[in-house]
């Protein structure tokens, strides 16, 4: 089966016959899951996307739509067997279908390949030909669909222009005159399109028409926008007038899929990453592909530049795509070895910083963590020696992400944030200024200074307006929910229900923003657990909650809440030591609390030893997003339990 959304939403069986998807709401549910690109979409998010004002029984209606879609998509599935395509996952649904079977994904993949190498031109041709009209054409009145239509239309126009450029670079392109003429007429503000049309006219032997086209572009830009043409158009006009050889077919424009200069694939990926959301997902894929293509050239310096150019600020200590992060780290380490200790210091520093930034996640071995910590310190030392502020803030990002070696280091991380913010402000590095503010927010949150943390949140939001950092308001919404949760435990504070509602709003915003599964999974469930512990209530037992990576440490408390004491004891014994990341204090506190409840003295003693350096901090506060209350409370529980005989 395949699904098409580049036009009206439809599904086709392998023999080409259409699948009856049902009414408009059924098709919209399917379309929204397509747009998620294989990621889970929470039920609440789907409800919010389907209805501006959800009816009382919206969740029930959604489940009805899903059930009908499952029957339509998998008509031969035996009764009581789990679905294979439209699958329930955690608190929502996910579409399990290969990218080759969805037209929009085939198009995006073909465009990504064509950006890297001209050999993919045939695939790009086919992908552009698959467009039957505006994307999600029959999904009207939905904000999510309008955003996707806008995004995909921009990609389609890029694809049209990229195809033309590849043809012109290859020596053909005279046949593009009519097509590009129509394209420019429909989209007169796309400056690169004018240059492509002029090149096509010149290739067709129409030099005068090519120059006239560039003059029209100049006039239009000046009269309508008050702008002069960019350097590319000015250079092209000079080249045509002088008969420059640069207008001849390019022989070596591409080097195994990587272009040098200001528009390299990895730099485009970096720009996308800073935009956040779905663009972040695409940027990671393009970034790794560019690094692999650079390695294939055998040019070590080029490979180092490509890998090290992706200096995108990173805040969270769990990788969104661990497998890809490992691949990037491996490529960086191979390139470091090839450069040797006498290689250019700037390139080595960027590669070392890349290793430090990308070495994140609970599944890292002790050896990998030690190498990453050493890489962070070496990158910082080289950057300081070179006196390069942009390189130093990138290196400090790695130092920050490797600073979770044990509980109780919030004050040390705050010093990193202070220096990063100072450097970024003085040297006009706004994206790292945002990161510096968020690091300081997290540190103040961990230390219980909510007044200072709020000031950093507000400053980060102001910076985000100019940098277009779309994830910042999502993160600060979580911080404000964390503040409400903390104050709900104070006399006269907001109710626990109010705090839970704030967490729900923050969760919906994070789910809608996409692109950060390493942060998103399990966060809402952990926040609710922390809220209940603040009010001395048992863990939530809702089976729909997705505990994500925190399951081993939360499960004993969930089992205790269900009065399954012996199972809880077994689960506690099986729980590993919490990984050194943003949530380590929180997970140690959960371990301490469960051990105290179960009277497990050895576990309580280990938890107490781990938590003592963090006695003045707040559990979960290092995230700036959740809180379980003061660490001292859980430390006291563990110490009391450990001393019992």
């Amino acid at each position: 089966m395949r699904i098409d959304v580049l036009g009206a939403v439809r599904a086709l069986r392998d023999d080409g016959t259409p699948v009856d998807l049902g009414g408009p709401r059924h098709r919209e549910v399917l379309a929204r899951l397509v747009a998620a690109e294989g990621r889970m979409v929470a039920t609440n998010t789907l409800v919010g996307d389907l209805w501006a004002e959800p009816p009382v029984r919206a969740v029930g209606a959604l489940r009805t739509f899903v059930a009908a879609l499952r029957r339509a998509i998998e008509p031969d599935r035996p009764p009581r067997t789990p679905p294979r395509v439209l699958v329930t996952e955690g608190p929502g649904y996910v579409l399990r279908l290969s990218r080759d079977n969805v037209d929009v994904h085939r198009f995006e993949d073909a465009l990504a390949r064509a950006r890297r190498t001209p050999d993919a031109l045939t695939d790009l041709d086919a992908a552009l030909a698959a467009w039957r009209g505006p994307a999600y054409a029959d999904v009207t009145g939905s904000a999510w669909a309008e955003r996707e239509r806008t995004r995909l239309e921009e990609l389609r126009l890029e694809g049209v222009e990229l195809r033309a450029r590849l043809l012109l670079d290859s020596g053909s392109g005279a046949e593009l005159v009519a097509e590009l003429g129509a394209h420019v007429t429909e989209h007169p503000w796309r400056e690169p399109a004018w240059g492509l049309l002029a090149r096509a006219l010149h290739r067709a032997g129409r030099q005068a028409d090519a120059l006239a086209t560039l003059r029209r572009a100049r006039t239009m830009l000046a009269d309508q926008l008050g702008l002069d043409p960019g350097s590319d158009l000015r250079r092209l006009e000079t080249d045509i007038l002088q008969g420059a050889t640069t207008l001849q077919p390019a022989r070596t424009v591409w080097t195994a899929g990587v272009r040098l200069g200001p528009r390299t694939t990895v730099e485009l990926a970096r720009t996308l990453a800073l935009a956040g959301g779905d663009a972040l997902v695409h940027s990671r894929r393009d970034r790794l592909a560019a690094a692999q293509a650079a390695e294939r050239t055998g040019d070590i310096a080029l490979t180092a530049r490509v890998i090290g150019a992706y200096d995108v600020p990173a805040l969270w200590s769990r990788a969104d795509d661990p497998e890809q992060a490992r691949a990037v780290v491996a490529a960086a380490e191979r390139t470091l070895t090839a450069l040797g200790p006498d290689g250019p210091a700037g390139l080595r520093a960027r590669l070392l910083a890349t290793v430090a930034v990308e070495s994140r996640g609970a599944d890292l071995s002790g050896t990998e963590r030690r190498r990453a910590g050493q890489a962070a310190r070496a990158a910082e030392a080289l950057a300081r020696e070179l006196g390069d502020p942009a390189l130093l803030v990138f290196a400090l990002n790695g130092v920050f992400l490797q600073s979770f070696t044990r509980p109780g280091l919030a004050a040390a991380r705050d010093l990193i944030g202070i220096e990063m913010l100072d450097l970024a402000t003085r040297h006009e590095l706004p994206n790292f200024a945002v990161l510096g503010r968020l690091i300081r927010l997290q540190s103040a949150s961990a230390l219980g200074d909510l007044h200072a943390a709020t000031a950093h949140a507000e400053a980060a939001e102001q910076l985000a307006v100019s940098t277009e950092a779309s994830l910042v308001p999502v993160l600060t919404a979580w911080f404000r929910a964390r503040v409400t949760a903390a104050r709900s435990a104070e006399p006269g504070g907001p109710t626990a229900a109010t705090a839970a509602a704030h967490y729900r709003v923050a969760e919906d915003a994070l789910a809608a923003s996409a692109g950060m599964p390493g942060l998103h999974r399990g966060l809402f469930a952990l926040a609710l657990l922390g809220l209940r512990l603040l009010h001395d209530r048992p863990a939530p037992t809702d089976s729909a909650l997705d505990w994500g990576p925190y399951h081993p440490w939360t499960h004993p408390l969930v089992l205790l809440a269900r009065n399954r004491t012996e199972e809880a004891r077994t689960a506690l014994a099986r729980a590993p030591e919490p990984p050194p990341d943003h949530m380590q204090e929180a997970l140690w506190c959960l371990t301490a609390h469960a051990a105290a409840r179960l009277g497990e003295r050895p576990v309580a003693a280990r938890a107490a030893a781990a938590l003592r350096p963090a006695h003045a901090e707040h559990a979960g506060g290092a995230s700036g997003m959740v809180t379980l209350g003061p660490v001292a409370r859980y430390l006291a529980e563990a110490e009391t339990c450990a001393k019992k005989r």
Side-chain angles (χ1 to χ4, degrees):
M1 187 193 72
R2 78 169 196 260
I3 296 174
D4 295 340
V5 297
L6 299 179
V9 178
R10 69 182 185 184
L12 302 172
R13 298 185 181 88
D14 291 340
D15 61 3
T17 58
V19 175
D20 183 3
L21 295 174
R25 292 294 191 198
H26 298 75
R27 292 195 299 277
E28 183 171 359
V29 170
L30 184 64
R32 179 63 183 84
L33 294 173
V34 166
E37 295 200 25
R39 296 184 299 279
M40 183 272 288
V41 183
T43 297
N44 287 340
T45 300
L46 282 168
V47 167
D49 284 340
L50 261 65
W51 291 282
E53 297 182 6
V56 175
R57 295 181 175 82
V59 173
L62 173 61
R63 288 172 179 158
T64 300
F65 299 152
V66 169
L69 283 169
R70 283 170 169 166
R71 288 193 297 271
I73 291 171
E74 297 184 72
D76 300 325
R77 178 166 57 91
R80 292 181 297 280
T81 59
R84 298 185 306 276
V85 179
L86 206 170
V87 178
T88 300
E89 183 180 286
Y93 302 100
V94 64
L95 191 66
R96 299 288 188 212
L97 204 61
S98 71
R99 294 182 67 84
D100 285 344
N101 288 323
V102 183
D103 64 348
V104 65
H105 299 160
R106 287 197 306 275
F107 165 71
E108 290 175 307
D109 291 348
L111 180 59
R113 286 192 296 272
R115 288 181 184 132
R116 297 191 294 268
T117 172
D119 296 339
L121 181 58
T122 301
D123 288 348
L124 181 59
D125 273 336
L128 286 168
W131 282 72
R132 297 170 288 112
Y136 306 101
D138 52 345
V139 181
T140 57
S142 294
W144 76 264
E146 187 56 39
R147 289 194 299 270
E148 276 296 286
R149 267 193 292 274
T150 301
R151 182 182 73 85
L152 290 169
E153 177 60 13
E154 177 63 27
L155 290 181
R156 187 188 70 82
L157 296 177
E158 180 191 341
V160 169
E161 292 166 7
L162 177 57
R163 172 180 174 272
R165 179 165 59 78
L166 292 175
L167 285 169
L168 287 163
D169 286 351
S170 70
S172 58
E175 70 281 5
L176 293 171
V177 169
E179 177 184 333
L180 287 171
H183 179 71
V184 164
T185 299
E186 189 174 356
H187 307 285
W189 314 119
R190 296 184 68 86
E191 193 171 334
W194 288 95
L196 291 167
L197 175 58
R199 286 184 63 190
L201 287 163
H202 185 272
R203 184 62 49 78
R206 297 166 58 181
Q207 180 175 332
D209 288 338
L211 291 169
T213 293
L214 293 172
R215 284 193 293 271
R216 281 169 49 214
R218 181 190 296 275
T219 301
M220 184 275 298
L221 289 168
D223 292 349
Q224 301 297 322
L225 301 178
L227 297 175
D228 291 328
S231 58
D232 287 347
L233 285 188
R234 295 197 304 272
R235 188 182 307 112
L236 178 59
E237 185 173 23
T238 300
D239 287 347
I240 291 174
L241 287 168
Q242 297 178 351
T245 57
T246 53
L247 292 171
Q248 301 306 314
R251 291 191 180 94
T252 57
V253 171
W254 294 83
T255 308
V258 180
R259 271 200 162 183
L260 302 179
R263 291 184 63 82
T264 60
T265 301
V266 75
E267 285 170 333
L268 290 172
R270 179 183 184 278
T271 302
L272 285 171
L274 294 170
D278 287 336
L280 183 58
V281 178
H282 297 301
S283 80
R284 295 191 196 107
R285 189 168 60 225
D286 289 351
R287 177 263 186 106
L288 179 58
Q292 292 169 337
E295 276 199 286
R296 289 194 294 271
T297 69
D299 186 330
I300 303 304
L302 168 63
T303 304
R305 287 197 298 273
V306 167
I307 294 173
Y310 193 88
D311 54 352
V312 176
L315 179 69
W316 196 240
S317 50
R318 286 179 181 267
D320 294 319
D321 187 336
E323 183 178 346
Q324 186 185 78
R326 283 183 181 277
V328 171
V329 169
E333 289 181 331
R334 287 193 298 270
T335 308
L336 273 167
T337 300
L339 277 177
D342 297 324
L347 292 182
R348 289 176 53 236
R350 285 196 166 273
L351 290 170
L352 288 163
T354 298
V355 170
V357 168
E358 295 297 333
S359 296
R360 293 178 277 163
D363 60 342
L364 293 181
S365 68
T367 300
E368 289 171 322
R369 291 188 190 281
R370 284 191 294 275
R371 284 209 308 264
Q374 291 166 358
R377 292 188 292 275
E380 179 189 7
L382 283 170
R384 291 190 188 282
E385 185 179 325
L386 291 168
D388 182 339
L391 179 56
L392 181 54
V393 292
F394 183 29
L396 287 173
N397 196 168
V399 173
F400 164 70
L401 290 169
Q402 298 305 321
S403 68
F404 295 85
T405 51
R406 62 167 175 81
L409 292 174
R413 287 193 290 276
D414 193 45
L415 293 176
I416 298 170
I418 289 171
E419 182 175 13
M420 182 181 291
L421 182 58
D422 175 63
L423 282 166
T425 302
R426 286 191 292 111
H427 297 283
E428 298 183 354
L429 302 166
N431 294 306
F432 280 98
V434 171
L435 179 60
R437 284 292 183 188
L438 293 175
I439 290 173
R440 299 212 64 197
L441 180 160
Q442 290 181 341
S443 303
S445 169
L447 295 168
D449 188 348
L450 298 185
H451 178 74
T454 299
H456 291 306
E458 292 171 352
E461 288 167 339
Q462 292 172 2
L463 282 168
V465 173
S466 59
T467 60
E468 299 182 3
S470 60
L471 281 171
V472 168
V474 176
L475 300 176
T476 54
W478 270 96
F479 165 70
R480 290 188 170 85
R482 171 258 188 274
V483 172
T484 305
R487 289 177 176 159
S488 73
E490 299 172 356
T495 65
T498 298
H502 283 214
Y503 273 136
R504 170 60 70 185
V505 171
E507 154 69 4
D508 289 345
L510 181 57
S513 70
M516 293 187 72
L519 170 63
H520 182 219
R521 288 208 61 219
L523 187 63
F524 179 63
L526 187 63
L528 292 185
L529 172 57
L531 182 60
R532 293 176 80 92
L533 291 175
L534 285 173
H535 291 267
D536 297 315
R537 297 176 62 191
T541 57
D542 184 352
S543 59
L545 283 175
D546 177 15
W547 294 99
Y550 310 119
H551 179 269
W553 301 277
T554 58
H555 194 46
L557 292 174
V558 173
L559 290 170
L560 277 171
R562 293 172 177 164
N563 296 316
R564 292 156 62 179
T565 304
E566 290 310 309
E567 292 177 68
R569 200 180 304 279
T570 300
L572 179 63
R574 290 176 176 172
E577 184 171 305
D581 61 19
H582 276 86
M583 291 300 186
Q584 62 182 324
E585 289 90 357
L587 300 184
W588 273 119
C589 286
L590 294 179
T591 302
H593 187 58
R597 291 276 308 278
L598 291 164
E600 291 291 329
R601 291 172 53 209
V603 179
R606 287 201 304 274
L611 287 173
R612 283 189 191 103
H615 69 278
E617 296 187 12
H618 284 240
S623 69
M625 305 174 82
V626 303
T627 182
L628 281 66
V631 168
R633 166 191 169 184
Y634 301 93
L635 176 59
E637 282 185 329
E639 289 180 331
T640 300
C641 176
K643 291 175 183 176
K644 286 182 179 178
R645 295 190 181 275

